[in-house]
Amino acid sequence: MEAAVAIVGLLFVLFVLAGVFVTVKAVKAAKRGVDRTVAHARRTVEDTTLRARQLAQPGVVGELAQLRLSLRTSMRATQEVLYGGSPDDASLSEAIGLFERLSAHGHELDDELKRLEREPDRATIGTRLPDLRERLERITHSAESLRWAARDRARKFADDDLASLSDQIDVESGALRHWTRVEDAMDPLRDPVAGRPESAGPGATKSPGQGQPTDGPARTGATPGPSDAAARSWGPTPEDPPAITARDPRTQPSYPWQKAPRTEDTTT
């Protein structure tokens, strides 16, 4: 019984601790959300004030507001690019470290510009403006270098991935159209029919062993002469009776340009 009570008490303590942990996490998340909202609202108000001051107060004050706007816009754009791409590209961690060091100089310059806005001596501010403008250009140039390098890197990865994806899609499209290769293979106009004799080239004449077989003077009824006897020396002799069945391919004449005849069994 005591063991059961101890187990129940332990479970109750664990539930309480879990509830406290969840509550603390929820409060911290809500606080972070509120802080982000307040910071965003503060930045919006400051940017709006600087734009209004730039337009409404020409001269030294307006130029200071313009410098602050250029600095804040450049640094904010670089921060969004680097921190937005870091989850997908771990190589941006070193660039983020450099940007953090650059942000320290940017905050220092922004604080100095903010102090000069409340300075009543306009002549002193005018003498400081060239140096402040040079520092601003150096900081914004470094920020733009990091920002565009990160963008070019992301675009390069996107182009490589798109090229690889296009190659895979082409291969898959060819595999899905497999029936076109079968139809092309069965098209008689594309591939020659098996067993079709090759046509003679231009200027070639048919020999007695090619085309339709001839029986020499026995078919034409002409009297054989010396040239006919010489021609018949490649084929059967005059004493041989005319063939009734198909000729034996082994007894037909062959020429260098003629394919070797196929040996087939003939019935007598």
Side-chain angles (χ1 to χ4, degrees), residues 231-249:
R232 287 197 305 272
S233 62
W234 294 85
T237 59
E239 289 78 8
D240 293 338
I244 298 177
T245 59
R247 291 178 177 269
D248 189 355

Side-chain angles (χ1 to χ4, degrees), residues 204-222:
T205 58
K206 292 184 179 181
S207 62
Q210 292 178 335
Q212 296 178 355
T214 58
D215 293 336
R219 173 169 296 185
T220 58

Side-chain angles (χ1 to χ4, degrees), residues 152-174:
D152 293 341
R153 181 180 179 86
R155 184 172 61 253
K156 176 62 177 176
F157 287 161
D159 292 341
D160 293 343
D161 184 69
L162 179 59
S164 176
L165 180 61
S166 299
D167 294 340
Q168 295 177 7
I169 289 176
D170 292 340
V171 172
E172 183 64 20
S173 299

Side-chain angles (χ1 to χ4, degrees):
M1 186 64 181
E2 295 178 356
V5 173
I7 293 175
V8 172
L10 180 61
L11 291 176
F12 177 77
V13 172
L14 291 177
F15 281 127
V16 171
L17 292 177
V20 171
F21 177 77
V22 172
T23 303
V24 171
K25 296 288 288 185
V27 170
K28 288 183 178 180
K31 185 177 181 300
R32 286 195 299 268
V34 172
D35 293 339
R36 285 195 299 267
T37 303
V38 172
H40 180 71
R42 184 183 296 113
R43 286 196 302 266
T44 303
V45 171
E46 290 180 355
D47 292 345
T48 304
T49 304
L50 290 175
R51 289 189 180 93
R53 189 176 300 170
Q54 177 185 358
L55 298 175
Q57 299 179 358
V60 177
V61 178
E63 190 169 358
L64 288 175
Q66 181 181 0
L67 294 178
R68 289 189 64 192
L69 276 175
S70 300
L71 177 63
R72 293 162 68 92
T73 303
S74 179
M75 298 298 288
R76 189 178 302 144
T78 304
Q79 182 180 9
E80 291 177 356
V81 171
L82 294 179
Y83 283 92
S86 59
D88 299 330
D89 189 2
S91 300
L92 294 179
S93 58
E94 185 175 356
I96 291 176
L98 295 175
F99 175 75
E100 294 294 340
R101 295 173 57 186
L102 184 65
S103 296
H105 294 279
H107 287 299
E108 181 181 355
L109 178 60
D110 185 67
D111 294 338
E112 186 174 356
L113 292 173
K114 186 185 298 185
R115 287 192 300 268
L116 289 176
E117 290 178 351
R118 297 187 294 268
E119 178 65 35
D121 189 359
R122 306 301 182 189
T124 303
I125 298 175
T127 58
R128 297 282 306 274
L129 279 178
D131 180 57
L132 295 174
R133 192 179 298 109
E134 182 182 0
R135 288 174 59 189
L136 174 67
E137 291 177 355
R138 294 174 60 184
I139 293 175
T140 55
H141 176 71
S142 300
E144 290 175 357
S145 298
L146 287 175
R147 182 171 68 251
W148 284 108
R151 287 177 176 174
D152 293 341
R153 181 180 179 86
R155 184 172 61 253
K156 176 62 177 176
F157 287 161
D159 292 341
D160 293 343
D161 184 69
L162 179 59
S164 176
L165 180 61
S166 299
D167 294 340
Q168 295 177 7
I169 289 176
D170 292 340
V171 172
E172 183 64 20
S173 299
L176 293 175
R177 295 193 183 96
H178 63 280
W179 68 86
T180 57
R181 295 193 297 269
V182 177
E183 291 178 356
D184 293 342
M186 298 176 60
D187 190 356
L189 298 179
R190 295 179 59 90
D191 298 331
V193 180
R196 180 183 297 176
E198 296 181 357
S199 58
T205 58
K206 292 184 179 181
S207 62
Q210 292 178 335
Q212 296 178 355
T214 58
D215 293 336
R219 173 169 296 185
T220 58
T223 304
S227 60
D228 297 334
R232 287 197 305 272
S233 62
W234 294 85
T237 59
E239 289 78 8
D240 293 338
I244 298 177
T245 59
R247 291 178 177 269
D248 189 355
R250 292 172 294 183
T251 62
Q252 294 182 2
S254 61
Y255 298 94
W257 60 84
Q258 186 179 5
K259 287 185 177 181
R262 294 179 298 176
T263 57
E264 298 178 358
D265 297 334
T266 59
T267 58
T268 57

